[in-house]
Amino acid sequence: MKNKSLKYKIAIGCIIFTMILTFAVAAIGYYQYNKNMMQKYQNYSGTIVKIAESVLEEYHMVELIETQTMDVSYDRIRKEFNSIKENSDIAYIFVIYFEDTDDPYSMRYAINGARQEELDVAQSESEVYSYMGEVCGEADFDEAMRQEYLQIPLACCPMQIIWIFLWQCW
């Protein structure tokens, strides 16, 4: 009788130890997977931002914003952004700027990109595109996001007026 009780306790102990070990291995695996995926996402997003920055530099987006001009260069930037969005797994790509860098509510849209399927479905381009100088809606960005954007300088634009945003939907 005592022998069965000891075997029973050892079996229960082994089962509990196995369960704890299984949960520990699963937690470590999840942590490593999540860490690696976030790193890959940041690398991928960083590459797309660098491509978008080079487009903005090539077509002098800072000058277009300063002069509020939507000329041939603006159209070329839009085509490049459309191409970036079409050829990547990005749900949104757009550029905003601040009219007054001290006022987080002075956010304005500069330009955005769209996929061909979005353009095909829309009744007009204004349903899909944001245009130079359009005020960012109150619901578009919360207060914390607005304050954060004022703190992050963009490599191509030391004046802190341009921000590139990417969103991926997985």
Side-chain angles (χ1 to χ4, degrees), residues 89-138:
D89 196 20
I90 300 299
Y92 303 102
I93 179 169
F94 58 95
V95 176
I96 63 161
Y97 64 97
F98 291 90
E99 279 190 331
D100 178 2
T101 56
D102 295 326
D103 180 9
Y105 291 96
S106 68
M107 288 175 84
R108 303 272 190 260
Y109 287 106
I111 198 165
N112 68 313
R115 288 189 175 95
Q116 187 59 48
E117 61 199 41
E118 294 170 313
L119 295 170
D120 293 342
V121 172
Q123 292 179 355
S124 69
E125 283 188 354
S126 62
E127 288 181 21
V128 179
Y129 290 135
S130 298
Y131 291 95
M132 179 80 73
E134 282 184 30
V135 177
C136 295
E138 288 293 320

Side-chain angles (χ1 to χ4, degrees), residues 45-57:
S45 297
T47 300
I48 293 173
V49 166
K50 287 177 185 175
I51 292 168
E53 280 181 336
S54 70
V55 169
L56 296 177
E57 286 177 7

Side-chain angles (χ1 to χ4, degrees), residues 10-161:
I10 291 173
I12 293 295
C14 287
I15 290 170
I16 290 172
F17 175 74
T18 303
M19 288 176 61
I20 290 171
L21 186 62
T22 300
F23 286 127
V25 169
I28 291 169
Y30 174 77
Y31 172 76
Q32 288 296 332
Y33 172 78
N34 194 28
K35 180 180 166 186
N36 289 339
M37 287 305 294
M38 287 306 293
Q39 185 175 11
K40 287 180 182 188
Y41 170 73
Q42 288 174 346
N43 290 342
Y44 180 71
S45 297
T47 300
I48 293 173
V49 166
K50 287 177 185 175
I51 292 168
E53 280 181 336
S54 70
V55 169
L56 296 177
E57 286 177 7
E58 181 180 350
Y59 295 109
H60 310 287
M61 187 64 171
V62 172
E63 293 166 18
L64 296 176
I65 290 173
E66 288 172 346
T67 61
Q68 293 292 295
T69 306
M70 293 190 295
D71 60 8
V72 175
S73 293
Y74 187 84
D75 293 335
R76 288 184 181 148
I77 293 171
R78 171 123 19 213
K79 286 179 184 174
E80 292 285 346
F81 271 40
N82 289 352
S83 177
I84 291 170
K85 188 173 178 183
E86 190 75 45
N87 295 311
S88 65
D89 196 20
I90 300 299
Y92 303 102
I93 179 169
F94 58 95
V95 176
I96 63 161
Y97 64 97
F98 291 90
E99 279 190 331
D100 178 2
T101 56
D102 295 326
D103 180 9
Y105 291 96
S106 68
M107 288 175 84
R108 303 272 190 260
Y109 287 106
I111 198 165
N112 68 313
R115 288 189 175 95
Q116 187 59 48
E117 61 199 41
E118 294 170 313
L119 295 170
D120 293 342
V121 172
Q123 292 179 355
S124 69
E125 283 188 354
S126 62
E127 288 181 21
V128 179
Y129 290 135
S130 298
Y131 291 95
M132 179 80 73
E134 282 184 30
V135 177
C136 295
E138 288 293 320
D140 294 349
F141 305 96
D142 65 18
E143 180 66 27
M145 288 173 75
R146 289 171 187 268
Q147 291 298 333
E148 178 99 9
Y149 299 151
L150 283 171
Q151 305 303 316
I152 307 169
L154 189 62
C156 73
C157 310
M159 298 181 297
Q160 287 189 314
I161 61 169

